[in-house]
PDB file of all heavy atoms in Angstrom:
ATOM      1  N   LYS A  10       7.923   0.939   1.071  1.00  0.00           N
ATOM      2  CA  LYS A  10       9.324   1.247   0.818  1.00  0.00           C
ATOM      3  C   LYS A  10      10.086  -0.070   0.840  1.00  0.00           C
ATOM      4  O   LYS A  10      10.001  -0.835   1.804  1.00  0.00           O
ATOM      5  CB  LYS A  10       9.852   2.205   1.885  1.00  0.00           C
ATOM      6  CG  LYS A  10      11.304   2.555   1.747  1.00  0.00           C
ATOM      7  CD  LYS A  10      11.735   3.681   2.663  1.00  0.00           C
ATOM      8  CE  LYS A  10      11.581   3.324   4.107  1.00  0.00           C
ATOM      9  NZ  LYS A  10      12.224   4.282   5.014  1.00  0.00           N
ATOM     10  N   LEU A  11      10.822  -0.351  -0.220  1.00  0.00           N
ATOM     11  CA  LEU A  11      11.608  -1.576  -0.318  1.00  0.00           C
ATOM     12  C   LEU A  11      12.956  -1.394   0.365  1.00  0.00           C
ATOM     13  O   LEU A  11      13.392  -0.265   0.601  1.00  0.00           O
ATOM     14  CB  LEU A  11      11.801  -1.939  -1.791  1.00  0.00           C
ATOM     15  CG  LEU A  11      10.520  -2.252  -2.558  1.00  0.00           C
ATOM     16  CD1 LEU A  11      10.823  -2.456  -4.030  1.00  0.00           C
ATOM     17  CD2 LEU A  11       9.814  -3.460  -1.980  1.00  0.00           C
ATOM     18  N   PRO A  12      13.653  -2.500   0.652  1.00  0.00           N
ATOM     19  CA  PRO A  12      14.980  -2.385   1.272  1.00  0.00           C
ATOM     20  C   PRO A  12      15.895  -1.499   0.422  1.00  0.00           C
ATOM     21  O   PRO A  12      15.839  -1.522  -0.803  1.00  0.00           O
ATOM     22  CB  PRO A  12      15.491  -3.830   1.278  1.00  0.00           C
ATOM     23  CG  PRO A  12      14.271  -4.677   1.196  1.00  0.00           C
ATOM     24  CD  PRO A  12      13.266  -3.893   0.413  1.00  0.00           C
ATOM     25  N   ASP A  13      16.709  -0.725   1.073  1.00  0.00           N
ATOM     26  CA  ASP A  13      17.697   0.147   0.427  1.00  0.00           C
ATOM     27  C   ASP A  13      17.094   1.332  -0.316  1.00  0.00           C
ATOM     28  O   ASP A  13      17.820   2.066  -0.985  1.00  0.00           O
ATOM     29  CB  ASP A  13      18.624  -0.643  -0.509  1.00  0.00           C
ATOM     30  CG  ASP A  13      19.399  -1.720   0.232  1.00  0.00           C
ATOM     31  OD1 ASP A  13      19.760  -1.487   1.409  1.00  0.00           O
ATOM     32  OD2 ASP A  13      19.617  -2.803  -0.355  1.00  0.00           O
ATOM     33  N   GLU A  14      15.789   1.537  -0.269  1.00  0.00           N
ATOM     34  CA  GLU A  14      15.192   2.731  -0.860  1.00  0.00           C
ATOM     35  C   GLU A  14      15.030   3.771   0.230  1.00  0.00           C
ATOM     36  O   GLU A  14      14.792   3.436   1.390  1.00  0.00           O
ATOM     37  CB  GLU A  14      13.845   2.412  -1.509  1.00  0.00           C
ATOM     38  CG  GLU A  14      13.985   1.589  -2.773  1.00  0.00           C
ATOM     39  CD  GLU A  14      12.686   1.437  -3.539  1.00  0.00           C
ATOM     40  OE1 GLU A  14      11.620   1.822  -3.013  1.00  0.00           O
ATOM     41  OE2 GLU A  14      12.746   0.925  -4.653  1.00  0.00           O
ATOM     42  N   GLU A  15      15.135   5.035  -0.145  1.00  0.00           N
ATOM     43  CA  GLU A  15      15.054   6.109   0.839  1.00  0.00           C
ATOM     44  C   GLU A  15      13.643   6.599   1.086  1.00  0.00           C
ATOM     45  O   GLU A  15      13.376   7.203   2.116  1.00  0.00           O
ATOM     46  CB  GLU A  15      15.945   7.271   0.409  1.00  0.00           C
ATOM     47  CG  GLU A  15      17.416   6.911   0.451  1.00  0.00           C
ATOM     48  CD  GLU A  15      18.315   8.098   0.195  1.00  0.00           C
ATOM     49  OE1 GLU A  15      17.866   9.241   0.378  1.00  0.00           O
ATOM     50  OE2 GLU A  15      19.470   7.859  -0.177  1.00  0.00           O
ATOM     51  N   SER A  16      12.753   6.368   0.134  1.00  0.00           N
ATOM     52  CA  SER A  16      11.392   6.874   0.319  1.00  0.00           C
ATOM     53  C   SER A  16      10.364   5.826  -0.116  1.00  0.00           C
ATOM     54  O   SER A  16      10.695   4.846  -0.779  1.00  0.00           O
ATOM     55  CB  SER A  16      11.192   8.169  -0.469  1.00  0.00           C
ATOM     56  OG  SER A  16      11.380   7.926  -1.848  1.00  0.00           O
ATOM     57  N   THR A  18       7.598   4.427  -2.358  1.00  0.00           N
ATOM     58  CA  THR A  18       7.524   4.610  -3.811  1.00  0.00           C
ATOM     59  C   THR A  18       6.280   4.039  -4.479  1.00  0.00           C
ATOM     60  O   THR A  18       6.098   4.245  -5.670  1.00  0.00           O
ATOM     61  CB  THR A  18       8.743   3.958  -4.492  1.00  0.00           C
ATOM     62  OG1 THR A  18       8.773   2.573  -4.129  1.00  0.00           O
ATOM     63  CG2 THR A  18      10.027   4.632  -4.080  1.00  0.00           C
ATOM     64  N   MET A  62      13.372  -9.231  -3.452  1.00  0.00           N
ATOM     65  CA  MET A  62      13.940  -8.091  -2.724  1.00  0.00           C
ATOM     66  C   MET A  62      14.075  -8.412  -1.228  1.00  0.00           C
ATOM     67  O   MET A  62      13.394  -7.822  -0.386  1.00  0.00           O
ATOM     68  CB  MET A  62      13.102  -6.826  -2.910  1.00  0.00           C
ATOM     69  CG  MET A  62      13.025  -6.316  -4.330  1.00  0.00           C
ATOM     70  SD  MET A  62      14.553  -5.594  -4.946  1.00  0.00           S
ATOM     71  CE  MET A  62      14.662  -4.123  -3.963  1.00  0.00           C
ATOM     72  N   PRO A  63      14.923  -9.378  -0.881  1.00  0.00           N
ATOM     73  CA  PRO A  63      15.056  -9.774   0.519  1.00  0.00           C
ATOM     74  C   PRO A  63      15.439  -8.599   1.414  1.00  0.00           C
ATOM     75  O   PRO A  63      16.152  -7.696   0.993  1.00  0.00           O
ATOM     76  CB  PRO A  63      16.172 -10.820   0.504  1.00  0.00           C
ATOM     77  CG  PRO A  63      16.535 -11.048  -0.912  1.00  0.00           C
ATOM     78  CD  PRO A  63      15.851 -10.031  -1.760  1.00  0.00           C
ATOM     79  N   GLY A  64      14.927  -8.660   2.624  1.00  0.00           N
ATOM     80  CA  GLY A  64      15.203  -7.616   3.600  1.00  0.00           C
ATOM     81  C   GLY A  64      13.925  -7.025   4.135  1.00  0.00           C
ATOM     82  O   GLY A  64      12.843  -7.578   3.940  1.00  0.00           O
ATOM     83  N   GLU A  65      14.053  -5.896   4.816  1.00  0.00           N
ATOM     84  CA  GLU A  65      12.898  -5.278   5.472  1.00  0.00           C
ATOM     85  C   GLU A  65      12.180  -4.301   4.553  1.00  0.00           C
ATOM     86  O   GLU A  65      12.771  -3.349   4.076  1.00  0.00           O
ATOM     87  CB  GLU A  65      13.327  -4.561   6.744  1.00  0.00           C
ATOM     88  CG  GLU A  65      12.139  -4.002   7.510  1.00  0.00           C
ATOM     89  CD  GLU A  65      12.527  -3.395   8.829  1.00  0.00           C
ATOM     90  OE1 GLU A  65      12.868  -4.173   9.744  1.00  0.00           O
ATOM     91  OE2 GLU A  65      12.521  -2.159   8.938  1.00  0.00           O
ATOM     92  N   TRP A  66      10.914  -4.568   4.353  1.00  0.00           N
ATOM     93  CA  TRP A  66      10.022  -3.677   3.615  1.00  0.00           C
ATOM     94  C   TRP A  66       9.211  -2.906   4.647  1.00  0.00           C
ATOM     95  O   TRP A  66       8.794  -3.460   5.657  1.00  0.00           O
ATOM     96  CB  TRP A  66       9.059  -4.458   2.751  1.00  0.00           C
ATOM     97  CG  TRP A  66       9.625  -5.334   1.676  1.00  0.00           C
ATOM     98  CD1 TRP A  66      10.853  -5.942   1.649  1.00  0.00           C
ATOM     99  CD2 TRP A  66       8.959  -5.729   0.484  1.00  0.00           C
ATOM    100  NE1 TRP A  66      10.981  -6.682   0.506  1.00  0.00           N
ATOM    101  CE2 TRP A  66       9.831  -6.569  -0.226  1.00  0.00           C
ATOM    102  CE3 TRP A  66       7.714  -5.457  -0.053  1.00  0.00           C
ATOM    103  CZ2 TRP A  66       9.491  -7.138  -1.446  1.00  0.00           C
ATOM    104  CZ3 TRP A  66       7.375  -6.029  -1.266  1.00  0.00           C
ATOM    105  CH2 TRP A  66       8.263  -6.848  -1.958  1.00  0.00           C
ATOM    106  N   GLN A  67       8.949  -1.641   4.400  1.00  0.00           N
ATOM    107  CA  GLN A  67       8.114  -0.824   5.284  1.00  0.00           C
ATOM    108  C   GLN A  67       6.792  -0.528   4.583  1.00  0.00           C
ATOM    109  O   GLN A  67       6.778  -0.166   3.404  1.00  0.00           O
ATOM    110  CB  GLN A  67       8.804   0.494   5.613  1.00  0.00           C
ATOM    111  CG  GLN A  67      10.050   0.356   6.444  1.00  0.00           C
ATOM    112  CD  GLN A  67       9.741  -0.075   7.862  1.00  0.00           C
ATOM    113  OE1 GLN A  67       8.791   0.394   8.476  1.00  0.00           O
ATOM    114  NE2 GLN A  67      10.548  -0.989   8.368  1.00  0.00           N
TER     115      GLN A  67
END
Side-chain angles (χ1 to χ4, degrees):
K10 178 170 63 169
L11 297 174
D13 300 325
E14 289 189 351
E15 293 187 21
S16 61
T18 57
M62 297 289 291
E65 185 175 288
W66 299 27
Q67 293 290 319

